[in-house]
Amino acid sequence: MDQLKEASIYETVACNLCGSENYRVIIEPYKKDFNPLEVITASQGIRGTQRIVRCLDCGLVYVNPRINAAVVSESYAGTIDKVYVQGASGRQQTFTQCAKKIDRWKKPPGRLLDVGCAAGFFVNAAKKHGWDAAGVDPSNWLVKWGIENLGVKLYAGTLKDIGFGDKEFDVLTIWDVLEHVPDPAKELQECYRVLKKGGIIVINYPDFGSILSRLAGRRWWFLLSNHLYYFTEKTIRKYLENSGFKVEKFAWHWQTLPLGYLAKILGIYSQSLSRLSMGLFKSLRLSNVQIPYYAAQTNVIASKY
Ligand SMILES: [Zn+2]
């Protein structure tokens, strides 16, 4: 770890939620041999590269020290993720369900912005559902892919870079992104600024406090090198309230992916089991069957009033 601290690519950070510098290490890294520049961009992340700590004052769980924020931002701007776009049909199905669920809180017409939209699968689903939908993502490659292949309105950059006006949007969505952002507090302040009064924000995050995470311990599948934060209901609530939002509801998030793709992801744990199941599903012609699953992800809905 001393070596990591010395290298300029790493930085030591205070708690992003309360500013405290008091923490306890809860998970030590165990992987020795890896390229620090690949830990952020690796499509499915690399396991065992992080030192994870818990703030003694507010309970926020975060990576410390970590790859410094400038390197993280640069990595995302340069992301080319061909594996991600392969899961297109499943993601589209999941996101169609997500777009319908938002009706309960707010119905189209209106303006919706997806923050960290990647290739724009959710933007596409929201547009089909009746929203004037747009997305923003730092990856030039993913944004270009979405514009060309889905015909959606996407902007390359960070929310702050684009410079939207105050109170422009009725709905903001952040799907599996906040845990990647170096400064979630600032990101949520910016979200609050661009949201209309009476608007809502929907955030999906892997829940470190979930029963699945507790059972899996250090083998939890979301302990990945590209996640800088591990939120719980308590810490995400505090983040939202600090930014001015009122928390409305927490709910389990169900997703859909092709069976073949899930078998591929299994490779994180066991290459041989992954290959075996991929072969089996292929021979049974089940690779494209869409499977709904809950993987410890939580939706939180909050409003600006
Ligand atoms: Zn704290």
Side-chain angles (χ1 to χ4, degrees):
M1 214 63 222
D2 289 342
Q3 262 176 318
L4 297 188
K5 273 183 195 162
E6 278 162 28
S8 63
I9 197 173
Y10 287 86
E11 65 182 355
T12 300
V13 289
C15 173
N16 183 255
L17 183 53
C18 78
S20 168
E21 288 179 0
N22 302 316
Y23 61 77
R24 183 169 68 83
V25 177
I26 56 171
I27 294 176
E28 290 280 8
Y30 54 84
K31 199 170 179 115
K32 299 265 182 278
D33 187 25
F34 61 89
N35 175 357
L37 288 174
E38 278 175 12
V39 307
I40 298 296
T41 51
S43 181
Q44 287 156 23
I46 303 170
R47 300 175 60 74
T49 65
Q50 301 178 314
R51 183 193 196 224
I52 301 172
V53 307
R54 187 194 301 271
C55 173
L56 292 177
D57 291 288
C58 74
L60 181 69
V61 176
Y62 61 104
V63 175
N64 198 21
R66 67 179 190 194
I67 304 273
N68 84 53
V71 176
V72 172
S73 303
E74 209 172 295
S75 300
Y76 283 125
T79 296
I80 294 174
D81 199 339
K82 293 178 183 166
V83 176
Y84 177 85
V85 296
Q86 276 171 21
S89 62
R91 286 176 207 282
Q92 203 66 62
Q93 279 194 21
T94 297
F95 281 142
T96 301
Q97 293 305 316
C98 293
K100 284 183 192 158
K101 274 187 208 156
I102 294 174
D103 278 357
R104 196 177 145 198
W105 305 94
K106 199 155 269 298
K107 288 196 171 102
R111 292 187 70 194
L112 178 149
L113 181 70
D114 189 31
V115 180
C117 63
F121 294 122
F122 177 71
V123 176
N124 196 28
K127 183 181 156 192
K128 286 183 178 157
H129 196 66
W131 291 104
D132 173 5
V136 41
D137 195 275
S139 162
N140 291 306
W141 187 87
L142 285 169
V143 163
K144 190 162 175 273
W145 190 96
I147 293 170
E148 286 173 2
N149 293 278
L150 304 173
V152 285
K153 193 177 3 171
L154 306 183
Y155 302 88
T158 65
L159 183 53
K160 196 144 194 146
D161 292 340
I162 313 299
F164 292 110
D166 291 355
K167 302 175 188 167
E168 282 203 32
F169 297 96
D170 299 273
V171 178
L172 288 186
T173 53
I174 307 185
W175 305 108
D176 311 319
V177 166
L178 204 57
E179 59 277 10
H180 296 251
V181 173
D183 191 343
K186 214 172 238 173
E187 193 71 14
L188 288 173
Q189 281 163 20
E190 186 66 4
C191 287
Y192 189 82
R193 183 184 72 77
V194 302
L195 193 63
K196 284 180 192 168
K197 211 173 161 185
I200 60 152
I201 183 167
V202 181
I203 300 171
N204 185 54
Y205 66 97
D207 191 349
F208 189 75
S210 67
I211 183 77
L212 289 178
S213 159
R214 284 161 194 245
L215 285 172
R218 64 184 53 220
R219 289 182 70 84
W220 193 39
W221 43 94
F222 283 119
L223 298 180
L224 297 175
S225 55
N226 45 18
H227 291 162
L228 304 176
Y229 295 92
Y230 294 99
F231 304 113
T232 60
E233 276 195 24
K234 185 185 156 200
T235 55
I236 205 95
R237 175 186 288 277
K238 187 140 194 285
Y239 260 115
L240 285 161
E241 289 175 354
N242 285 357
S243 325
F245 291 103
K246 176 176 178 275
V247 174
E248 302 285 354
K249 191 181 166 65
F250 286 93
W252 280 16
H253 178 69
W254 289 86
Q255 288 173 283
T256 321
L257 277 177
L259 202 51
Y261 189 79
L262 289 173
K264 197 170 178 174
I265 292 175
L266 196 61
I268 297 171
Y269 291 100
S270 161
Q271 284 293 339
S272 49
L273 194 59
S274 169
R275 271 196 298 273
L276 187 72
S277 49
M278 273 199 287
L280 184 69
F281 297 149
K282 201 170 175 185
S283 65
L284 295 172
R285 299 188 181 183
L286 294 174
S287 297
N288 291 322
V289 173
Q290 299 292 328
I291 302 295
Y293 65 101
Y294 165 70
Q297 298 206 1
T298 297
N299 286 166
V300 57
I301 295 103
S303 59
K304 176 174 176 175
Y305 55 97

Short mmCIF file of all heavy atoms in Angstrom, two decimals, residues 15 17-18 20 55 57-58 60, ligand 1:
data_model
loop_
_atom_site.label_atom_id
_atom_site.label_comp_id
_atom_site.label_asym_id
_atom_site.label_seq_id
_atom_site.Cartn_x
_atom_site.Cartn_y
_atom_site.Cartn_z
N CYS A 15 -13.58 11.96 3.56
CA CYS A 15 -14.94 11.47 3.31
C CYS A 15 -15.70 12.50 2.47
O CYS A 15 -15.77 13.67 2.84
CB CYS A 15 -15.66 11.22 4.62
SG CYS A 15 -17.40 10.82 4.41
N LEU A 17 -18.82 12.64 2.00
CA LEU A 17 -20.15 12.95 2.53
C LEU A 17 -20.08 13.90 3.73
O LEU A 17 -20.92 14.80 3.85
CB LEU A 17 -20.84 11.63 2.92
CG LEU A 17 -22.26 11.67 3.45
CD1 LEU A 17 -23.19 12.43 2.52
CD2 LEU A 17 -22.80 10.25 3.65
N CYS A 18 -19.07 13.75 4.61
CA CYS A 18 -19.04 14.61 5.80
C CYS A 18 -17.71 15.33 5.99
O CYS A 18 -17.59 16.14 6.92
CB CYS A 18 -19.39 13.79 7.04
SG CYS A 18 -18.05 12.76 7.64
N SER A 20 -14.89 14.18 7.03
CA SER A 20 -14.02 13.60 8.06
C SER A 20 -12.84 12.84 7.44
O SER A 20 -12.93 12.31 6.34
CB SER A 20 -14.84 12.64 8.92
OG SER A 20 -14.00 11.87 9.74
N CYS A 55 -16.07 5.49 6.86
CA CYS A 55 -15.92 6.72 7.63
C CYS A 55 -16.42 6.49 9.06
O CYS A 55 -17.52 5.97 9.25
CB CYS A 55 -16.72 7.85 6.97
SG CYS A 55 -16.76 9.36 7.96
N ASP A 57 -17.23 8.71 11.13
CA ASP A 57 -18.19 9.72 11.55
C ASP A 57 -19.57 9.58 10.90
O ASP A 57 -20.57 9.81 11.55
CB ASP A 57 -17.62 11.12 11.29
CG ASP A 57 -16.46 11.38 12.23
OD1 ASP A 57 -16.70 11.57 13.43
OD2 ASP A 57 -15.29 11.31 11.79
N CYS A 58 -19.62 9.23 9.59
CA CYS A 58 -20.95 9.13 8.95
C CYS A 58 -21.25 7.75 8.38
O CYS A 58 -22.36 7.49 7.94
CB CYS A 58 -21.09 10.20 7.85
SG CYS A 58 -20.15 9.81 6.37
N LEU A 60 -19.93 6.37 5.62
CA LEU A 60 -19.73 6.20 4.17
C LEU A 60 -18.60 5.20 3.91
O LEU A 60 -17.55 5.26 4.54
CB LEU A 60 -19.37 7.56 3.52
CG LEU A 60 -19.16 7.51 2.00
CD1 LEU A 60 -20.49 7.25 1.27
CD2 LEU A 60 -18.53 8.80 1.47
ZN ZN B 1 -18.08 10.72 6.62
#
